[in-house]
Amino acid sequence: MKHLTHISAMRWLCALVMAWGSVAMAPAQDVMRRTLMTIPDSIVPFLNHSMIGELVEFAGRGGTAEVKNKLDGMSSLDTLTQSYAAFTLTKVDKMQLMLLPRTAGDSIICLLHTYYGPEPESTVRFYSMGWQRLSDDEFLTPVTFDELVHRPDTMDADKFMALRKLFDPCLISVVADPRELTLTFSLSKPLLSEADKKALDPIVLQKTVKWSGKTF
């Protein structure tokens, strides 16, 4: 009998610990959900808060997070964690949100939009947790075209310059990594033949910048 009482007590203690753990984790897990539910209409004009709520609820259940948007197309919430969300808004528009903890003790929102026309081109914007627009230059030094190309030692200058001119228009895509808190910048290859795209491979670079707690 004492043995059974001991087992019951241990089970009760484990349940209590798990309950307290759930309570402690809930606020952190809810941060991104609250952030998404307050996103301004100007950022996602063809999703209303009801649609976003459905996406968040489906994603939280582990189901297929997909709704019909205001354009009668389909939008999906592809990834949702306590600090990151990735949407496919339309067939040509994807959005990533990454919460960046600051050394000051608060956090800010890093928002990436990537448009496929059909080559990807991204914009990076920063917001407060209340969706107030922040200065981009305060948190990210712009990445330039010259930082994403280089001339190999075996390539003559004339050929390098000729290849550079193929990047017209210059389109830069960005991918966020929420685990490493990084942004990776890449040049999108314009509408070229497969032979021209392959010829560009030796001169293209990627640039990855990491969040320091203050800036990238």
Side-chain angles (χ1 to χ4, degrees):
M1 187 71 177
K2 289 183 179 179
H3 180 63
L4 292 175
T5 301
H6 176 70
I7 292 175
S8 299
M10 289 297 294
R11 287 176 177 171
W12 178 83
L13 181 60
C14 288
L16 182 62
V17 170
M18 291 176 65
W20 275 105
S22 298
V23 170
M25 290 176 62
Q29 292 173 334
D30 287 343
V31 171
M32 180 54 80
R33 288 173 170 81
R34 290 197 300 269
T35 301
L36 295 178
M37 292 308 300
T38 57
I39 191 169
D41 293 341
S42 58
I43 293 178
V44 282
F46 37 84
L47 285 179
N48 59 35
H49 287 170
S50 176
M51 294 171 182
I52 293 174
E54 285 187 54
L55 289 173
V56 170
E57 181 180 356
F58 290 149
R61 293 177 180 177
T64 301
E66 190 174 59
V67 297
K68 181 175 285 189
N69 57 43
K70 294 180 182 179
L71 302 177
D72 288 330
M74 300 305 294
S75 297
S76 62
L77 177 52
D78 307 314
T79 306
L80 177 63
T81 71
Q82 64 184 29
S83 61
Y84 177 76
F87 288 83
T88 298
L89 298 175
T90 70
K91 292 180 179 179
V92 296
D93 185 2
K94 294 192 176 184
M95 181 174 73
Q96 296 173 277
L97 293 90
M98 185 164 60
L99 303 186
L100 302 174
R102 298 209 297 172
T103 52
D106 59 350
S107 296
I108 61 173
I109 302 165
C110 177
L111 181 89
L112 283 76
H113 259 121
T114 300
Y115 302 93
Y116 295 80
E119 299 293 329
E121 181 179 20
S122 302
T123 60
V124 183
R125 299 289 183 264
F126 297 93
Y127 298 84
S128 72
M129 294 302 292
W131 288 105
Q132 293 177 319
R133 186 79 162 82
L134 303 175
S135 170
D136 300 330
D137 292 342
E138 181 180 350
F139 303 105
L140 176 66
T141 301
V143 175
T144 65
F145 172 72
D146 287 334
E147 295 177 88
L148 298 175
V149 293
H150 76 119
R151 180 168 69 90
D153 294 338
T154 56
M155 183 179 292
D156 64 66
D158 289 341
K159 182 176 181 180
F160 176 62
M161 293 304 296
L163 290 174
R164 279 173 57 102
K165 291 179 181 178
L166 294 178
F167 287 103
D168 185 21
C170 174
L171 307 177
I172 297 177
S173 64
V174 188
V175 176
D177 184 337
R179 293 169 298 179
E180 299 295 329
L181 295 182
T182 60
L183 299 175
T184 298
F185 293 77
S186 306
L187 279 172
S188 295
K189 295 175 181 177
L191 298 176
L192 300 170
S193 67
E194 289 303 316
D196 283 340
K197 288 183 178 181
K198 188 174 181 179
L200 291 173
D201 286 342
I203 75 167
V204 294
L205 297 173
Q206 287 186 332
K207 181 173 181 177
T208 298
V209 294
K210 187 174 178 64
W211 179 248
S212 69
K214 295 181 179 180
T215 185
F216 279 106

